[in-house]
Amino acid sequence: MKLKLITKQLFRNYIFVMAIIISLGLSAYTLNKSYVDSQINKTVFDTEIFLFDYPQGLDYALSNQNLEENDYLLIFDNSYKVLDVYNYDLVVGQQLDVYEFQAIYDSNQLYHYLFTDDDEKYQIILYLAPLEKNTLLIVAIISIATLLFFVFTIVLATRTGKNIIRPLNLIRDGVHEISKGNYDHVIQFETGNEMEHIRDDINLLSNQLKTEISRRKKLEAQRNQLILSLSHDIKTPLTNVIGYSQMLLQQENLDKNIKPSLEIIHKYGLTAAQLSDELFDYTKLNNNDQHLQTSAYDVVELIRIKLIEYVNEFESLNITYSLELPNHPITCQIHLTSFNRVLDNLLQNSIRYNHQDFNIHLAVFLENQDVKICLSDNGIGIPLAYHETIFDPMVRVESSRNRNLGGTGLGLSIAKQIMLNHAGDIIIDSSYSDGAMFILTLPKDKTPQ
Ligand code: ADP
């Protein structure tokens, strides 16, 4: 099917409007012409003949003229005394002054005619009433024309809307739906113009996006599966490496030259095992279909218990601590093991990277419908340049600090994933410069307790 162009449709609309304007113009012209003609017909009052006939009497003079019901005629002498009256409320012989005379003439100048004879003996005011029929006709036609113009304009606007604006709105809604990830949404309309090309292109694009995204998801799932299998399969050889190196290290008659090498094997075996475990956990947590089985817990109580667990370690390392907790419970839906893992990771990082003689501060507070848990220390902190990527896997600051404290660079990315799986989040506060400050967010449990 050959598509009609929007230009053609608009052209047709313009022609339509032009036709309306031209027909309205023609009707106005015809109307005006008939009105002017009727006025001309009406003003067949010959003042010359009237003045010639008048000395023979008013009735005689008027019998040769064409006066109608609402017309009137007043004849004054040159001192404004009424000489004769036709159809007007004045008495013959009545004396007017110039102002009264003028007032009559001014009362409706448009239809008044003032004329006089050559000797200026008479001053005559003639009034020819407008044809009422014509005035009504003009009003009626103008009203009908205005009404028609509005009706046609509405018809035109509806046609334009149907062909251009409605499809544009459908396209906008469709693009909005697709941008939300609803790739099954199909934009549907028929206009017979280029809008259908845009509709088809967007539908095609959405289809291609859907295919591409499902291909990527499949690839990602395969990659995740590979990492999971790898980290699982490497476990047995690593356990053997760690176990046998440990066993050899414990032998009493161990050759002194071999001991350092064995210690290195044992140490790196442990690091590799930790890395493989964390990689396994991270990949598993990253799986979208991983749903946490949560239960309602009082976050304030969990933080208090966590602190008690660490008190001895803090004291032995000379780490001071402070708490800022609300004096009422705040309940959240929590997967206890995972949540504890996040807290442990943050506290152990603080201990590991700052070592001793510093302060750890823990605070819990409510912000709108969210629970915030703030964990900060006044240690060495994390350089600002790392703040954007610190939650990405394998990001460690140690290489630039020239220290090796044995981390895998996966701890914070696992913590992030756990918080996201709780419909919460974890961020690092870049405005805090005394050390490192992490803020955890959890949605407050809305189910009645
Ligand atoms: P790792 O398992 O190596 O500790 P993380 O993801 O837990 O990895 O942490 C990433 C990096 O962030 C660490 O290498 C460390 O340099 C830095 N870091 C984390 N917490 C702190 C902290 N409290 N103080 C200073 N540096 C920290």
Side-chain angles (χ1 to χ4, degrees):
M1 176 193 145
K2 187 162 174 353
L3 292 178
K4 288 177 222 149
L5 302 169
I6 291 181
T7 328
K8 262 193 194 168
Q9 290 179 345
L10 286 177
F11 182 70
R12 266 211 315 260
N13 287 353
Y14 294 143
I15 293 286
F16 193 56
V17 172
M18 280 308 286
I20 294 168
I21 292 173
I22 289 172
S23 47
L24 285 178
L26 281 176
S27 345
Y29 173 76
T30 322
L31 197 72
N32 188 39
K33 193 169 175 329
S34 70
Y35 177 73
V36 169
D37 286 352
S38 69
Q39 285 298 313
I40 288 169
N41 287 339
K42 192 169 187 300
T43 52
V44 185
F45 185 102
D46 195 321
T47 52
E48 298 275 315
I49 294 176
F50 178 82
L51 286 170
F52 183 76
D53 288 347
Y54 180 62
Q56 296 172 61
L58 180 65
D59 288 346
Y60 175 74
L62 285 179
S63 66
N64 290 329
Q65 301 299 335
N66 193 18
L67 284 190
E68 288 179 10
E69 206 183 326
N70 293 326
D71 302 342
Y72 58 79
L73 185 81
L74 303 169
I75 302 159
F76 301 86
D77 66 9
N78 48 20
S79 65
Y80 308 113
K81 184 174 165 194
V82 180
L83 296 179
D84 257 314
V85 178
Y86 170 76
N87 229 0
Y88 197 80
D89 195 17
L90 271 184
V91 184
V92 174
Q94 198 174 337
Q95 180 64 54
L96 302 188
D97 59 27
V98 62
Y99 301 111
E100 287 167 327
F101 175 82
Q102 196 62 39
I104 295 174
Y105 179 66
D106 285 345
S107 63
N108 202 342
Q109 266 194 37
L110 200 60
Y111 302 100
H112 271 146
Y113 301 88
L114 183 65
F115 59 95
T116 182
D117 61 320
D118 291 343
D119 305 336
E120 297 191 354
K121 261 168 50 191
Y122 314 119
Q123 301 197 72
I124 301 169
I125 293 177
L126 168 67
Y127 174 79
L128 296 174
L131 287 179
E132 263 179 36
K133 255 195 303 179
N134 273 354
T135 317
L136 274 179
L137 193 67
I138 290 172
V139 172
I141 291 193
I142 288 177
S143 316
I144 291 172
T146 316
L147 194 76
L148 276 180
F149 190 77
F150 273 112
V151 170
F152 286 138
T153 313
I154 289 167
V155 170
L156 205 67
T158 317
R159 278 164 58 109
T160 315
K162 192 166 165 278
N163 289 330
I164 300 168
I165 296 159
R166 189 176 150 267
L168 270 181
N169 285 339
L170 287 171
I171 288 174
R172 190 198 55 202
D173 293 347
V175 170
H176 189 67
E177 272 302 306
I178 294 165
S179 70
K180 282 196 303 192
N182 181 5
Y183 301 110
D184 289 324
H185 181 85
V186 180
I187 303 173
Q188 279 172 325
F189 59 77
E190 310 266 317
T191 54
N193 59 30
E194 288 98 328
M195 292 290 178
E196 291 186 1
H197 290 313
I198 303 176
R199 174 201 66 191
D200 295 343
D201 287 348
I202 294 176
N203 285 340
L204 184 73
L205 189 75
S206 138
N207 218 359
Q208 283 171 344
L209 265 174
K210 186 180 163 188
T211 319
E212 180 60 20
I213 284 172
S214 73
R215 195 181 69 87
R216 283 196 182 189
K217 273 190 181 159
K218 211 166 137 195
L219 274 177
E220 202 174 317
Q222 281 172 349
R223 203 190 54 205
N224 281 351
Q225 195 49 49
L226 188 77
I227 297 175
L228 289 178
S229 313
L230 251 175
S231 31
H232 180 263
D233 291 351
I234 210 168
K235 229 181 164 106
T236 321
L238 279 176
T239 317
N240 281 329
V241 170
I242 296 164
Y244 282 119
S245 54
Q246 170 111 34
M247 195 184 80
L248 288 172
L249 276 170
Q250 281 164 354
Q251 281 191 358
E252 278 173 15
N253 52 354
L254 180 66
D255 188 336
K256 270 193 196 136
N257 295 329
I258 298 176
K259 197 177 176 207
S261 315
L262 266 179
E263 278 172 348
I264 290 175
I265 293 173
H266 185 250
K267 182 181 158 204
Y268 282 102
L270 284 173
T271 311
Q274 188 196 355
L275 181 63
S276 124
D277 281 350
E278 292 195 349
L279 203 58
F280 184 87
D281 292 344
Y282 176 72
T283 315
K284 231 177 156 113
L285 279 167
N286 233 349
N287 256 347
N288 288 338
D289 42 277
Q290 191 75 24
H291 289 295
L292 290 180
Q293 292 291 328
T294 59
S295 312
Y297 286 99
D298 172 14
V299 177
V300 181
E301 189 57 21
L302 290 185
I303 297 292
R304 208 175 274 127
I305 295 172
K306 184 53 66 189
L307 188 77
I308 295 169
E309 271 178 39
Y310 277 83
V311 164
N312 285 341
E313 194 173 352
F314 284 169
E315 280 169 2
S316 68
L317 290 170
N318 245 350
I319 299 171
T320 52
Y321 52 87
S322 46
L323 261 184
E324 206 180 317
L325 301 179
N327 50 13
H328 56 86
I330 303 177
T331 319
C332 291
Q333 282 296 325
I334 284 174
H335 182 265
L336 195 57
T337 325
S338 311
F339 185 66
N340 270 326
R341 184 172 184 170
V342 175
L343 296 179
D344 286 331
N345 179 261
L346 295 177
L347 289 168
Q348 281 162 16
N349 274 355
S350 249
I351 298 170
R352 179 149 31 123
Y353 297 111
N354 301 306
H355 202 51
Q356 51 189 14
D357 294 329
F358 66 98
N359 181 65
I360 288 184
H361 180 72
L362 274 161
V364 177
F365 55 93
L366 268 176
E367 202 176 271
N368 303 324
Q369 284 309 304
D370 287 333
V371 183
K372 304 272 178 189
I373 303 154
C374 181
L375 202 147
S376 58
D377 61 50
N378 60 351
I380 55 169
I382 296 174
L384 260 181
Y386 282 85
H387 283 202
E388 220 171 275
T389 52
I390 199 71
F391 296 101
D392 291 349
M394 305 296 182
V395 174
R396 299 176 64 229
V397 187
E398 277 56 68
S399 46
S400 64
R401 282 177 183 158
N402 248 345
R403 301 168 67 192
N404 191 358
L405 296 169
T408 59
L410 281 168
L412 287 179
S413 35
I414 290 176
K416 180 90 170 176
Q417 203 52 51
I418 290 174
M419 292 313 292
L420 292 178
N421 290 357
H422 276 85
D425 203 358
I426 173 171
I427 57 160
I428 181 162
D429 187 346
S430 300
S431 62
Y432 181 77
S433 55
D434 291 346
M437 179 186 280
F438 292 92
I439 301 170
L440 314 184
T441 308
L442 275 175
K444 191 170 167 270
D445 195 6
K446 291 188 189 78
T447 50
Q449 303 305 305

